[in-house]
């Protein structure tokens, strides 16, 4: 009964770790790191000349593989006697590591959009960012916000010119 409790605890810890890991990285243009807060950004005007859906590949930090290996080794070591449990632990660690790595990668990938932009000075740039609620179409006026080495694109604000009195 003790091995079942240890296995269940290990699985719960691994799942919690992977779920927490999914929130660690983002390419979401609406999420700022604390480093980016209260910093001056450069803002450029541009027009969208191309929109293409992309997938932003998930990360492989090793945390998923480590958690999977741990869970797999605990689960595998519960097989048979001493000798079998040793081999089962090794096999379980390898299989768990592969599964954990794949789980981490799947949990951290995002749907994105590649925007090709025509800047006001004539230069062209492409920016990839996570897809959010803002939909872009060819011809949309946008602003490009550059903070350090991070870039995000958002629709240009609509300015209302007050009517003369």
């Amino acid at each position: 009964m003790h091995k079942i409790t240890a296995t269940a605890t290990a699985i719960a810890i691994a799942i919690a770790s992977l779920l927490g890991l999914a929130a660690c990285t983002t390419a979401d243009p609406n999420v700022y790191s604390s480093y980016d807060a209260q910093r001056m950004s450069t803002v450029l005007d541009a027009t969208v000349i191309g929109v293409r859906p992309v997938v932003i590949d998930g990360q492989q930090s090793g945390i998923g593989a480590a958690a999977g290996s741990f869970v797999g080794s605990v689960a595998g070591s519960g097989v048979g006697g001493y000798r079998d449990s040793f081999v089962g632990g090794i096999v379980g660690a390898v299989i768990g590591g592969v599964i954990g790595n794949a789980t981490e990668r799947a949990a951290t990938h995002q749907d994105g959009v590649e925007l090709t932009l025509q800047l006001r000075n004539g230069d062209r740039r492409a920016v990839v960012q996570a897809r959010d609620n803002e939909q872009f179409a060819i011809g949309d006026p946008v602003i490009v916000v550059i903070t350090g080495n991070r870039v995000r694109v958002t629709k240009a604000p609509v300015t209302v010119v007050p009517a003369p009195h």
Side-chain angles (χ1 to χ4, degrees):
M1 192 70 163
H2 185 278
K3 281 189 177 183
I4 292 173
T5 304
T7 302
T9 302
I11 290 171
I13 290 170
I15 290 171
S17 297
L18 288 175
L19 291 176
L21 179 66
C24 288
T25 16
T26 181
D28 188 334
N30 297 314
V31 176
Y32 287 86
S33 72
S34 59
Y35 177 79
D36 290 333
Q38 297 183 330
R39 294 200 176 269
M40 182 75 75
S41 299
T42 301
V43 179
L44 304 173
D45 293 309
T47 302
V48 176
I49 60 172
V51 179
R52 185 171 76 97
V54 297
V55 174
I56 299 171
D57 197 14
Q59 71 175 12
Q60 296 175 329
S61 68
I63 294 173
S69 293
F70 176 73
V71 171
S73 67
V74 171
S77 66
V79 175
Y82 174 76
R83 187 176 190 171
D84 291 337
S85 68
F86 179 74
V87 172
I90 292 172
V91 171
V94 171
I95 292 172
V98 170
I99 292 171
N101 186 54
T103 302
E104 176 186 9
R105 189 171 182 191
T108 58
H109 94 276
Q110 299 175 333
D111 290 332
V113 61
E114 178 188 73
L115 300 168
T116 306
L117 309 171
Q118 178 81 47
L119 301 177
R120 291 269 168 95
N121 68 2
D123 289 349
R124 292 184 178 188
R125 298 286 186 264
V127 176
V128 175
Q129 66 187 30
R131 184 175 298 280
D132 65 356
N133 295 334
E134 200 165 38
Q135 300 297 314
F136 296 97
I138 294 174
D140 282 347
V142 295
I143 57 172
V144 181
V145 181
I146 305 166
T147 306
N149 63 351
R150 298 177 60 106
V151 178
R152 64 185 174 89
V153 177
T154 187
K155 287 193 175 180
V158 177
T159 55
V160 179
V161 178
H165 289 41

